[in-house]
Amino acid sequence: KIPDKRYHEGKNALLYRQAYKCLEAFFRNEISNIKSDGEYEVLFTEKKLEHSFTINYNNDLLDIIVKGKADRIDKTSNGIRIIDYKSGFAQKRDVSLNNFSAFNRQSFSLQLMTYAYLYHSSFGNNNITSALISLKNPKSNIIRLSYKKTELLNSEIFIEFEDYLKTIINS
C-alpha cells in the first residue's frame, strides 16, 4: 500500500486500479494453470542467455554473439517453459509462425524463438516451449509461440533458426 493515499484520486487511482486488475487476473491464471497442468519450478528469473557461432562473411570469419534476457524460465512436467512478460496487449496471432520471414511482422515471435534457441544452446534441452504473458490481455493467459503449428521446440527447429540468422547476417 502507498502510505500517503495518492492512489485514491485522479490518474493515480486509474493506474492503481488497472495494475491491481492486471495482477489479480495474472494470479488467477497462474492458479488455474497449476490446477490444469500441474506444479512447476521456477528455475531462473531475468536470466541472461548467450550463444556464439562463426560465419564466413566476405571471406572473413566473424564471431557472432546472440544475447537475450528471459524474464522467467520454468521446469514443468512437459519440459522447459520460457516466459516473457508483456505490459502491453498481445494475442496468439502475434506468436504464430509458418516461416521465419514472418519475424519482420511479429517481433514477439523473434524474441521468444531467440530465448528458446539461447536456452537450448546453453542447456541442451529439447522439450522447450516459449511463451508470453500479456498483462493487458489476461483472458489470453499464456500465449505460446508456435512454429509450423507446433508449440514444442526442438534441435531441428533451432538448427533451422541458426541457419536463418546466418542468412540474414550475410545478406
Side-chain angles (χ1 to χ4, degrees):
K1 296 211 177 204
I2 303 169
D4 65 6
K5 312 263 189 233
R6 284 181 285 170
Y7 65 95
H8 284 293
E9 298 177 355
K11 185 178 177 181
N12 288 337
L14 293 173
L15 292 172
Y16 175 82
R17 286 189 197 111
Q18 179 65 33
Y20 188 88
K21 286 178 108 177
C22 288
L23 288 172
E24 188 177 56
F26 167 75
F27 287 119
R28 205 173 23 254
N29 285 339
E30 284 291 288
I31 291 167
S32 174
N33 293 337
I34 290 169
K35 286 179 181 177
S36 67
D37 300 334
E39 295 181 7
Y40 62 88
E41 176 185 357
V42 177
L43 298 177
F44 304 103
T45 58
E46 298 294 319
K47 177 67 173 166
K48 291 181 182 178
L49 299 165
E50 181 177 308
H51 178 67
S52 61
F53 55 85
T54 303
I55 64 165
N56 187 338
Y57 183 76
N58 291 335
N59 295 321
D60 286 326
L61 293 179
L62 282 178
D63 289 326
I64 305 298
I65 300 172
V66 181
K67 296 180 181 184
K69 186 162 71 170
D71 290 339
R72 185 175 108 196
I73 301 173
D74 302 334
K75 181 179 179 183
T76 72
S77 59
N78 296 324
I80 298 298
R81 177 176 63 188
I82 300 169
I83 301 287
D84 188 59
Y85 295 102
K86 295 294 177 202
S87 58
F89 187 86
Q91 50 195 345
K92 182 63 179 169
R93 73 175 184 209
D94 296 325
V95 293
S96 298
L97 295 170
N98 288 321
N99 55 59
F100 294 138
S101 64
F103 285 144
N104 62 1
R105 298 180 312 278
Q106 298 175 313
S107 60
F108 295 152
S109 295
L110 176 59
Q111 185 178 20
L112 294 176
M113 183 64 76
T114 301
Y115 291 161
Y117 162 78
L118 292 173
Y119 185 89
H120 172 77
S121 298
S122 296
F123 298 98
N125 195 306
N126 263 329
N127 296 322
I128 299 174
T129 57
S130 194
L132 57 85
I133 294 176
S134 172
L135 297 175
K136 292 261 175 106
N137 186 8
K139 291 180 182 174
S140 66
N141 200 345
I142 294 176
I143 306 170
R144 288 177 181 81
L145 171 70
S146 66
Y147 179 65
K148 295 182 180 177
K149 299 189 179 178
T150 184
E151 293 178 348
L152 197 59
L153 306 174
N154 59 42
S155 296
E156 291 174 20
I157 293 170
F158 299 129
I159 290 168
E160 190 178 337
F161 179 66
E162 186 173 296
D163 289 343
Y164 171 79
L165 293 176
K166 289 176 181 178
T167 301
I168 294 229
I169 294 166
N170 274 317
S171 53

